[in-house]
C-alpha cells in the first residue's frame, strides 16, 4: 500500500533551480533600478523645465490644451515614457536564451558514450532540462541501497530451518539428494519431526511468492526446468523471490507452475504436489511481509508467511526463535539479505472467517487500503517460526569509487534503505561510506529501549559537537585525519519518534538536535525506512536552516517519494521496473555514472549558465546606462541615443549568438581534470558564481564601461581639434559611435572569458562583429523606400571616414576592458582559486592543447559524440 502511496506522492512545490531563483532576484533589483532611473529623470525634467524659456522654447511652442493639462497627469505620462525608454535594461531575451541553453545542453548527457551501459543497452535519460545547472550545486546525496548501490542480482546463500543450516553445493552427511547438487548440514541432522518441519519450510518458500513461470527459449538468462526438456524462466517483480525459489530448487524442491489456480511443485522424491491457492496477502513496505493461504491435496489449509525478521518475530508464538535470530543477525553482519518464514494451520471454520474478513475489506468503498491492512494484521498472527533465508546482493562496479569521489567533492552521502541495520552497515563499509576509523553513533530501537530519546540525542550531540569548532570542511567529507570521523545509524522507528510532534504540537527540539548531529557526521545510514520516511528525511534536510541542495537516487517504486521530494531526482534504470526512472528528473543505467553526471556535466552546466546570466545583465547595463546619461544632455526630452534598429537588434542579433554558443561549449577545465580532482566541485558550491559579490562586480563593471563609452565619445566630440577638419557630427553619429564601441567591448569581453576555443567560437564571435559592421553599412548606405525617415543615411560611413573616430573606438575598447583584465591577473597571482591553479598548471604543462585536435569533430568537442545505434 505504501508503495502505491509513494507512486502517487506529489512534491508540494514545483522544482526550480538555485540559478533560476537568483535570476529572479537579480531581475527584481534591475526592475528597481529601472523605476529609479525613470523617477530620477522625471524629477530632473521638471527641475530643468522650471525655467520658462526651457519649458517652452521659441521653436517648440505648446498648444493651449497642453498648457491646461494636469501637472500630475503630465508627470505620470513622462514617467511612463522614461520607463519605455529604459526598459531594455530588463534582459527579457535572457530567459529565452537560458531556455535554449538548457534544452540544447541537455543533449550532452544523452550523447555521452561513457554513460552508456553495454550490459543493459541503456543510456542516460533527461526528463527535464530545467535542473541541469542544479547538478553542479548538490550538497547532499540520498541513495537507496538495493539496486542502486548493489546490483539487485540476488544469489541464494543458505537457509536455516529449526536451527539447522543448509548450504547448496555441499555434501549433506555423505548423501547427495536427488535433483539437487547437495546440502551441507552445519548442525546435526534433524529427527523425524525436524524433517517434517524442514520439508514444510521448503514448501513454504516454493509457495509464498508471486513468481510467474515462462516457457520460452527466447527468455534472457534461460534456466532448465527439471520436469521437461523445455527452457523456462522465473519472472517476478522482486529478484529476492527468484533467488529463493532457485535456491530451494537446488535443495530438492522445485516450483513448477501456477495453473488453474493450483500451484505445482516437485519434491525430493520426484513427486508432483498440488496446492490450491486460496488467498494472497500482498507484500507492502509497511508490513514488510507477504502471505499466501493454500490448501493441500489432503485438505489441509496452511498460511505461509515470509518477511523481515522485525515483522515476523513479534507474531511468532512457537519455534526455535533464539537459534534462528542468532543466525539471522550473523548473516546480516556479513551483509546478506535475510528473510524469516513462518506458518500456521487453519481449520475450515477459521478460513471461512478469514475469507469473509478479506472480502469485506476488498469490497469496501471507503478506506479500502486501511481496512485491508487491519485485516492482514488480524490474520497474520500466532505463527509458528520455521526458519530464515539468506541471499547475497553484490555491490555495483565502482560504487565505492563513486561515493569516495562525491565525498572528496564535499558532498554528504546518506544511505536510506529498508534493510536490516547489520546488512546495511556491512554494505556501507563495503562501499567505503563508513571507514575503519569511523566512530558509529546509533539511534535505534534497541538503544531507545535502554535510554529515552532525549537522553540519546543529547549524549550524541555532546559527542559530536565538542570538536565542531575545529572541524574543517574536509571533515564533512569524511576524509580528514585531524578530527574524529563520525557516522550515524538510525532506524525507521527512531525516526518516527524524532518526527512525531510533541504534546504542544512541536517537534522542532528533537529535529534540531538530530540535524546538529547529522551535520557533524561524515555519513548517515537510515535503515528500516518506509518509502514516505525516506521523503521525510529528504524534506527535513531540504528545509533546514542552510537550505542545502539535495539529490535523491533510487531504482524502485519505493524510492519515488524521495526522488520527487529532492531538488534533483535521479532514477536508476534497473530490475525493479521503470517507476523511478519515469518519475525522476534524470535517469542513468548505473550508480557509477552519477560521478560524471555531477562532477563533470553538473560542473560545466553551472559554470556555463552562471556566466550566461551575469553576462546578460552586464551587457544590458552597458547598453542602457549611456541612454540614461544622455538625458542629462538633451533636456530630459526622452530622445533616444541609438537608432531604433540598433535598439531592436542589440539583444537579438549583435550579442546573442556568441553568449549562447559560449554557454554550450565552454570548458574552463578539461573533463579529465574534473574527474581526477573532485575537490574542484567545491569552488562552485553554494551558488558561488551567482552570489551578490559577483553580481555587484559585473554590474559595476557594466556601469564603468558605460561611463567610458559615453564620456569618451563625448570628450572626443567636444575636442575642437577633432572636428577641425570640417566634419560635423550630429546626435545620431554620436550615438552610433557609442554603440559601436559598446558592441566591440561586450563581444571582446566574452572572448577574454573563453578558455576553450573551437572553430565555432571563432565563427560566432568574429562573425557577430562582422555582421554588425555589414549591417550598419547597408542600413546607412541605402535609402530604404519602406521607411518614413532616413535619419541614419550615411551616418555610419561618415563616422568611419574620420581618423579620430577610429582612434576613439580602439582606445575606448581598450580602456573598457583594462579593469577586468587587471582584476583577472591580480586575482590569479595573489588569490587564486583551486580551479585557477589547475588552469595555470595545465597551461604550463601543455600549451599546445589549447588548439583542438584535428582528428576530433570541433562542434561537439565539449562532450562525447552521440552513439550511433
Amino acid at each position: 500500500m505504501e508503495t502505491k502511496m509513494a507512486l502517487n506522492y506529489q512534491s508540494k512545490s514545483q522544482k526550480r533551480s538555485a540559478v533560476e531563483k537568483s535570476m529572479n532576484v537579480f531581475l527584481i533589483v534591475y526592475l528597481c533600478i529601472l523605476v529609479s532611473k525613470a523617477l530620477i529623470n522625471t524629477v530632473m525634467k521638471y527641475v530643468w523645465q522650471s525655467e520658462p524659456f526651457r519649458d517652452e522654447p521659441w521653436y517648440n511652442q505648446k498648444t493651449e490644451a497642453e498648457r491646461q493639462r494636469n501637472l500630475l497627469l503630465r508627470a505620470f505620462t513622462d514617467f511612463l515614457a522614461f520607463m519605455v525608454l529604459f526598459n531594455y535594461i530588463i534582459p527579457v531575451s535572457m530567459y529565452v536564451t537560458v531556455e535554449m541553453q538548457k534544452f540544447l545542453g541537455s543533449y550532452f548527457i544523452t550523447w555521452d558514450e561513457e554513460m552508456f551501459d553495454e550490459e543493459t543497452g541503456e543510456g542516460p535519460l533527461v526528463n527535464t532540462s530545467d535542473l541541469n545547472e542544479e547538478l553542479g550545486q548538490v550538497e547532499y546525496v540520498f541513495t537507496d541501497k538495493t539496486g542502486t548501490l548493489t546490483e539487485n542480482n540476488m544469489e541464494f546463500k543458505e537457509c536455516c530451518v529449526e536451527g539447522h543450516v543448509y548450504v547448496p553445493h555441499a555434501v549433506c552427511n555423505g548423501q547427495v539428494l536427488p535433483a539437487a547438487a547437495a546440502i551441507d548440514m552445519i548442525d546435526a541432522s534433524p529427527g523425524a519431526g525436524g524433517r517434517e518441519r524442514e520439508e514444510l519450510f521448503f514448501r513454504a518458500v516454493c509457495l509464498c511468492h508471486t513468481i510467474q513461470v515462462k516457457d520460452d527459449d527466447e527468455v534472457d538468462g534461460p534456466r532448465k526446468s527439471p520436469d521437461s526438456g523445455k527452457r523456462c524462466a522465473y519472472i517476478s517483480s522482486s529478484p529476492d523471490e527468484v533467488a529463493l525459489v532457485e535456491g530451494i530448487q537446488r535443495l530438492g524442491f522445485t516450483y513448477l507452475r501456477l495453473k488453474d489456480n493450483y500451484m505445482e511443485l516437485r519434491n525430493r522424491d520426484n513427486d508432483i504436489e498440488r496446492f490450491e491457492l486460496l488467498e494472497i496477502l500482498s507484500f507492502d513496505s509497511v508490513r514488510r511481509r507477504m502471505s499466501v493461504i493454500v490448501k493441500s491435496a489432503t485438505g489441509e489449509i496452511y498460511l505461509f508467511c515470509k518477511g523481515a525478521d522485525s515483522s515476523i518475530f513479534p507474531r511468532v508464538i512457537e519455534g526455535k526463535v533464539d537459534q534462528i535470530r542468532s543466525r539471522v543477525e550473523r548473516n546480516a553482519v556479513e551483509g546478506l539479505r535475510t528473510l524469516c518464514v513462518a506458518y500456521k494451520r487453519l481449520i475450515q471454520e477459521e478460513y471461512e472467517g478469514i475469507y469473509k474478513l478479506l472480502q469485506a475489506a476488498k469490497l469496501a468503498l471507503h478506506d479500502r487500503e486501511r481496512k485491508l491492512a487491519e485485516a492482514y494484521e488480524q490474520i497474520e498472527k500466532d505463527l509458528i517460526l520455521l526458519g530464515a533465508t539468506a541471499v547475497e546482493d553484490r555491490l555495483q562496479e565502482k560504487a565505492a569509487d563513486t561515493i569516495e569521489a562525491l565525498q572528496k567533492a564535499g558532498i554528504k552521502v546518506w544511505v536510506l534503505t529498508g534493510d536490516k541495520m547489520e546488512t546495511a552497515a556491512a554494505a556501507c563499509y563495503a562501499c567505503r561510506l563508513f571507514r575503519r576509523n569511523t566512530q558509529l553513533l546509533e539511534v535505534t530501537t534497541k538503544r531507545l529501549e535502554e535510554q529515552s530519546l532525549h537522553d540519546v540525542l543529547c549524549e550524541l550531540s555532546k559527542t559530536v559537537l565538542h570538536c565542531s569548532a575545529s572541524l574543517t570542511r574536509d571533515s564533512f567529507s569524511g576524509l580528514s585525519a585531524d578530527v574524529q570521523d563520525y557516522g550515524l545509524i538510525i532506524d525507521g522507528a527512531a525516526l518516527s519518534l524524532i518526527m512525531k510532534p510533541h504534546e504542544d504540537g512541536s517537534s522542532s527540539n528533537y529535529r534540531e538536535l538530530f540535524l546538529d548531529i547529522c551535520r557533524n557526521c561524515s555519513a548517515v545510514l537510515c535503515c528500516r525506512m518506509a518509502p514516505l520516511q525516506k521523503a521525510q528525511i529528504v524534506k527535513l534536510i531540504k528545509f533546514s536552516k542552510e537550505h542545502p541542495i539535495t539529490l535523491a537516487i533510487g531504482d524502485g517504486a519505493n524510492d519515488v517519494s524521495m526522488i520527487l521530494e529532492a531538488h534533483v531526482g535521479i532514477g536508476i534504470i534497473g530490475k525493479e521496473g521503470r517507476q523511478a526512472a519515469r518519475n525522476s528528473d534524470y535517469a542513468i543505467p548505473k550508480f557509477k555514472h552519477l560521478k560524471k553526471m555531477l562532477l563533470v556535466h553538473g560542473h560545466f552546466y553551472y559554470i556555463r549558465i552562471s556566466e550566461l546570466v551575469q553576462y546578460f545583465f552586464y551587457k544590458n547595463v552597458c547598453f542602457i546606462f549611456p541612454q540614461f546619461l544622455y538625458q542629462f544632455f538633451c533636456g530630459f526630452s526622452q530622445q533616444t541615443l541609438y537608432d531604433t534598429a540598433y535598439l531592436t537588434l542589440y539583444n537579438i542579433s549583435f550579442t546573442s549568438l556568441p553568449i549562447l554558443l559560449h554557454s554550450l561549449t565552454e570548458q574552463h577545465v578539461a573533463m579529465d581534470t574534473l574527474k581526477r580532482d573532485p575537490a574542484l566541485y567545491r569552488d562552485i558550491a553554494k551558488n558561488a558564481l551567482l552570489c551578490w559579490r559577483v553580481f555587484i562586480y559585473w554590474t559595476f563593471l557594466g556601469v564603468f564601461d558605460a561611463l567610458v563609452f559615453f564620456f569618451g565619445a563625448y570628450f572626443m566630440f567636444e575636442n575642437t581639434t577633432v572636428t577641425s577638419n570640417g566634419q560635423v557630427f550630429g546626435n545620431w553619429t554620436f550615438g552610433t559611435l557609442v554603440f559601436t564601441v559598446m558592441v566591440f567591448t561586450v563581444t571582446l569581453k566574452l572572448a577574454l572569458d573563453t578558455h576553450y576555443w573551437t572553430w565555432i567560437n571563432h565563427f560566432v564571435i568574429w562573425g557577430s562583429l562582422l555582421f554588425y559592421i555589414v549591417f550598419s553599412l547597408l542600413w546607412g548606405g541605402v535609402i530604404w523606400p519602406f521607411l518614413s525617415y532616413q535619419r541614419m543615411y550615411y551616418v555610419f560611413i561618415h563616422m568611419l571616414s574620420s581618423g579620430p573616430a577610429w582612434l576613439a573606438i580602439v582606445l575606448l575598447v581598450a580602456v573598457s576592458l583594462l579593469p577586468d583584465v587587471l582584476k583577472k591577473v591580480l586575482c590569479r597571482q595573489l588569490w587564486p582559486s583551486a580551479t585557477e591553479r589547475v588552469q595555470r598548471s595545465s597551461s604550463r604543462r601543455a600549451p599546445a592543447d589549447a588548439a583542438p585536435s584535428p582528428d576530433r569533430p570541433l562542434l561537439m568537442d565539449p562532450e562525447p559524440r552521440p552513439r550511433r545505434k
Side-chain angles (χ1 to χ4, degrees), residues 466-483:
H466 78 279
C467 61
S468 61
S470 62
L471 210 60
T472 62
R473 190 168 185 183
D474 279 343
S475 65
F476 281 91
S477 63
L479 301 173
S480 177
D482 299 331
V483 293

Side-chain angles (χ1 to χ4, degrees), residues 336-488:
L336 301 180
R337 295 166 58 86
T338 58
L339 287 175
C340 293
V341 181
Y343 84 105
K344 70 176 179 180
R345 282 190 174 90
L346 302 174
I347 60 175
Q348 185 64 33
E349 290 76 11
E350 285 180 309
Y351 170 68
E352 290 175 357
I354 289 173
Y355 177 77
K356 292 178 181 178
L357 183 65
L358 289 174
Q359 285 299 110
K362 290 176 182 178
L363 297 176
L365 298 178
H366 301 288
D367 297 328
R368 182 179 303 166
E369 292 184 351
R370 181 180 60 81
K371 291 179 179 179
L372 274 174
E374 292 174 354
Y376 292 165
E377 287 291 327
Q378 294 182 39
I379 297 168
E380 295 169 327
K381 62 182 182 180
D382 300 332
L383 303 176
I384 300 172
L385 186 62
L386 284 172
T389 62
V391 297
E392 181 184 29
D393 188 10
R394 288 187 296 272
L395 207 63
Q396 279 192 23
E397 178 192 6
K398 295 184 179 179
D401 293 339
T402 301
I403 287 180
E404 187 174 15
L406 295 180
Q407 289 180 326
K408 287 180 179 178
I411 300 172
K412 285 194 172 184
V413 182
W414 290 30
V415 174
L416 313 181
T417 179
D419 284 359
K420 190 176 174 63
M421 185 184 81
E422 292 82 2
T423 304
C428 289
Y429 276 110
C431 67
R432 283 179 256 171
L433 184 70
F434 294 154
R435 299 169 184 274
R436 291 182 179 180
N437 64 337
T438 302
Q439 180 180 340
L440 294 184
L441 311 174
E442 293 185 11
V443 185
T444 58
T445 308
K446 185 176 181 181
R447 185 168 182 181
L448 294 181
E449 292 174 355
E450 304 169 357
Q451 291 178 275
S452 68
L453 177 61
H454 182 269
D455 292 341
V456 170
L457 291 178
C458 288
E459 180 182 330
L460 296 182
S461 180
K462 291 177 182 177
T463 302
V464 300
L465 293 180
H466 78 279
C467 61
S468 61
S470 62
L471 210 60
T472 62
R473 190 168 185 183
D474 279 343
S475 65
F476 281 91
S477 63
L479 301 173
S480 177
D482 299 331
V483 293
Q484 177 63 54
D485 188 20
Y486 293 105
L488 179 67

Side-chain angles (χ1 to χ4, degrees), residues 619-639:
K619 72 186 183 71
N620 277 31
V621 171
C622 292
F623 183 40
I624 288 303
F625 198 68
Q627 179 79 70
F628 171 75
L629 296 174
Y630 185 62
Q631 297 307 303
F632 289 85
F633 295 86
C634 68
F636 306 97
S637 61
Q638 291 125 26
Q639 169 68 37

Side-chain angles (χ1 to χ4, degrees), residues 412-675:
K412 285 194 172 184
V413 182
W414 290 30
V415 174
L416 313 181
T417 179
D419 284 359
K420 190 176 174 63
M421 185 184 81
E422 292 82 2
T423 304
C428 289
Y429 276 110
C431 67
R432 283 179 256 171
L433 184 70
F434 294 154
R435 299 169 184 274
R436 291 182 179 180
N437 64 337
T438 302
Q439 180 180 340
L440 294 184
L441 311 174
E442 293 185 11
V443 185
T444 58
T445 308
K446 185 176 181 181
R447 185 168 182 181
L448 294 181
E449 292 174 355
E450 304 169 357
Q451 291 178 275
S452 68
L453 177 61
H454 182 269
D455 292 341
V456 170
L457 291 178
C458 288
E459 180 182 330
L460 296 182
S461 180
K462 291 177 182 177
T463 302
V464 300
L465 293 180
H466 78 279
C467 61
S468 61
S470 62
L471 210 60
T472 62
R473 190 168 185 183
D474 279 343
S475 65
F476 281 91
S477 63
L479 301 173
S480 177
D482 299 331
V483 293
Q484 177 63 54
D485 188 20
Y486 293 105
L488 179 67
I489 299 178
I490 183 171
D491 62 18
L495 179 68
S496 297
L497 294 175
I498 291 173
M499 304 296 290
K500 183 179 179 182
H502 295 170
E503 294 180 357
D504 60 356
S506 170
S507 63
S508 60
N509 292 338
Y510 286 165
R511 291 186 185 185
E512 286 304 317
L513 268 175
F514 174 67
L515 284 173
D516 285 339
I517 295 168
C518 292
R519 289 187 191 104
N520 292 278
C521 291
S522 61
V524 178
L525 167 62
C526 303
C527 52
R528 292 301 191 202
M529 288 281 140
L532 292 183
Q533 283 184 309
K534 294 182 179 182
Q536 282 182 320
I537 284 281
V538 175
K539 188 175 183 180
L540 182 66
I541 299 299
K542 179 180 175 182
F543 292 106
S544 61
K545 60 184 180 182
E546 297 89 358
H547 295 288
I549 304 300
T550 58
L551 180 147
I553 179 170
D555 71 313
N558 59 339
D559 301 315
V560 169
S561 56
M562 73 170 180
I563 286 173
L564 292 175
E565 182 61 53
H567 291 93
V568 182
I570 296 184
I572 299 288
I573 308 172
K575 299 179 180 179
E576 294 190 15
R578 288 182 174 253
Q579 295 95 327
R582 290 195 185 107
N583 286 277
S584 63
D585 304 305
Y586 303 89
I588 54 179
K590 294 289 179 62
F591 182 78
K592 66 180 181 180
H593 298 133
L594 183 65
K595 176 181 176 180
K596 187 171 185 183
M597 176 166 273
L598 297 186
L599 304 186
V600 178
H601 290 291
H603 196 119
F604 281 155
Y605 282 138
Y606 178 75
I607 289 287
R608 291 165 178 171
I609 202 167
S610 59
E611 289 187 359
L612 184 151
V613 171
Q614 298 285 24
Y615 180 80
F616 254 95
F617 283 113
Y618 157 78
K619 72 186 183 71
N620 277 31
V621 171
C622 292
F623 183 40
I624 288 303
F625 198 68
Q627 179 79 70
F628 171 75
L629 296 174
Y630 185 62
Q631 297 307 303
F632 289 85
F633 295 86
C634 68
F636 306 97
S637 61
Q638 291 125 26
Q639 169 68 37
T640 61
L641 177 61
Y642 314 117
D643 180 60
T644 307
Y646 289 157
L647 285 171
T648 304
L649 296 178
Y650 177 74
N651 281 319
I652 296 177
S653 300
F654 299 148
T655 60
S656 58
L657 206 55
I659 184 59
L660 175 60
L661 268 296
H662 176 88
S663 64
L664 288 172
T665 62
E666 172 63 2
Q667 291 187 34
H668 63 303
V669 176
M671 279 191 289
D672 292 339
T673 304
L674 290 177
K675 287 190 286 187

Side-chain angles (χ1 to χ4, degrees), residues 757-773:
W757 285 92
T758 64
W759 67 265
I760 197 167
N761 294 91
H762 287 287
F763 177 78
V764 296
I765 287 178
W766 314 124
S768 293
L769 295 177
L770 182 63
F771 173 73
Y772 165 70
I773 294 171

Side-chain angles (χ1 to χ4, degrees), residues 261-278:
N261 211 39
Y262 279 87
M263 303 181 79
E264 298 180 1
L265 59 90
R266 183 186 296 277
N267 61 23
R268 290 172 176 170
D269 300 324
N270 214 28
D271 296 328
I272 303 297
E273 299 182 8
R274 301 179 82 239
F275 291 83
E276 183 182 359
L277 180 60
L278 301 178

Side-chain angles (χ1 to χ4, degrees), residues 37-49 82 636:
K37 283 184 176 182
L39 281 173
I40 291 171
N41 276 265
T42 303
V43 172
M44 293 302 296
K45 176 176 182 178
Y46 285 92
V47 171
W48 167 264
Q49 293 179 351
F82 282 117
F636 306 97

